[in-house]
Amino acid sequence: MTIPARKGTSVALTAGQKLRVENTFGSQVLDTWAFSAADFGEYMAMEATRSWNSRLTPAVGDVLVSNRYRPMLKLVEDTTPGVHDTLMCCCSPGIYAKMGYPAHDNCEDNFHAALKAIGRDVDFTPGPLNLFMNFPVTPDGQITREPPVSKPGDYVVFEALVDVVVVFSACPQDISAVNGAGRMPTDAHYTVFGDAQ
């Protein structure tokens, strides 16, 4: 299935199913969220995930946990160099207004639009897992913004540990090199496979 460039989409997973997320053209950042299918008040939380794994970025075998400290997804495969981001908020109308582009497409609006498309919404925007994003932290604590290091066809695979709804936004950033030196957002793709528990 396609995650359209500059847009958001969602996919429901049953516990035991796996989700393969492909960076089809190699340079597209995907802001990624997950919610408990039973209760949208429970969502994948980056601050809790960093605490659980004692890592800034999940590695293969790590779990991503909810704001209630419950495992939701497990990273079971990653063909990239393992460079993703858990620190940065998603781009939003406020961010683009500050940059001088007040009407720019953004991941926050994509997130809420994707939920509304399935008849759901929340009145907040959790911090996302920014798949394929390359924002290194320097020794003196600064965060720099570099192009992704993933290659065309690189992918990650998650296993659902509970029933979840995953939301993606193919980041529409085209002002800086967040989505590669060409600054051109592209489609990405996902596949759901495996048996439910």
Side-chain angles (χ1 to χ4, degrees):
M1 299 292 290
T2 301
I3 306 168
R6 311 180 73 93
K7 301 296 182 182
T9 193
S10 67
V11 55
L13 301 174
T14 301
Q17 288 187 311
K18 292 181 179 177
L19 174 66
R20 183 182 189 271
V21 186
E22 181 180 348
N23 200 342
T24 312
F25 298 97
S27 60
Q28 180 62 48
V29 167
L30 297 172
D31 289 41
T32 305
W33 298 265
F35 290 84
S36 165
D39 178 5
F40 270 48
E42 183 175 16
Y43 55 88
M44 184 173 69
M46 291 300 94
E47 65 275 20
T49 295
R50 291 191 298 268
S51 171
W52 182 287
N53 296 305
S54 295
R55 294 175 55 84
L56 285 178
T57 303
V60 170
D62 287 347
V63 297
L64 297 103
V65 302
S66 76
N67 57 313
R68 298 174 187 167
Y69 222 61
R70 183 167 69 127
M72 301 186 80
L73 296 171
K74 182 177 183 180
L75 180 59
V76 296
E77 192 172 355
D78 186 353
T79 68
T80 77
V83 177
H84 310 284
D85 171 75
T86 67
L87 295 175
M88 301 300 282
C89 64
C90 64
C91 59
S92 65
I95 286 173
Y96 284 112
K98 181 181 177 184
M99 297 173 69
Y101 300 88
H104 200 282
D105 294 337
N106 62 87
C107 289
E108 183 174 81
D109 286 347
N110 288 350
F111 163 75
H112 289 285
L115 286 182
K116 287 178 181 177
I118 58 171
R120 304 299 297 260
D121 198 15
V122 294
D123 60 1
F124 59 96
T125 306
L129 168 62
N130 295 307
L131 288 173
F132 314 117
M133 181 180 275
N134 181 21
F135 278 19
V137 180
T138 67
D140 64 354
Q142 295 188 57
I143 299 173
T144 64
R145 292 159 171 79
E146 307 296 338
V149 295
S150 47
K151 304 181 301 297
D154 272 349
Y155 63 87
V156 295
V157 177
F158 297 101
E159 179 183 356
L161 304 178
V162 295
D163 295 354
V164 293
V165 174
V166 176
V167 181
F168 297 111
S169 173
C171 182
Q173 171 63 266
D174 54 8
I175 300 164
S176 67
V178 170
N179 289 309
R183 304 185 183 186
M184 181 60 66
T186 58
D187 292 350
H189 294 85
Y190 71 86
T191 305
V192 176
F193 61 98
D195 296 326
Q197 293 178 352

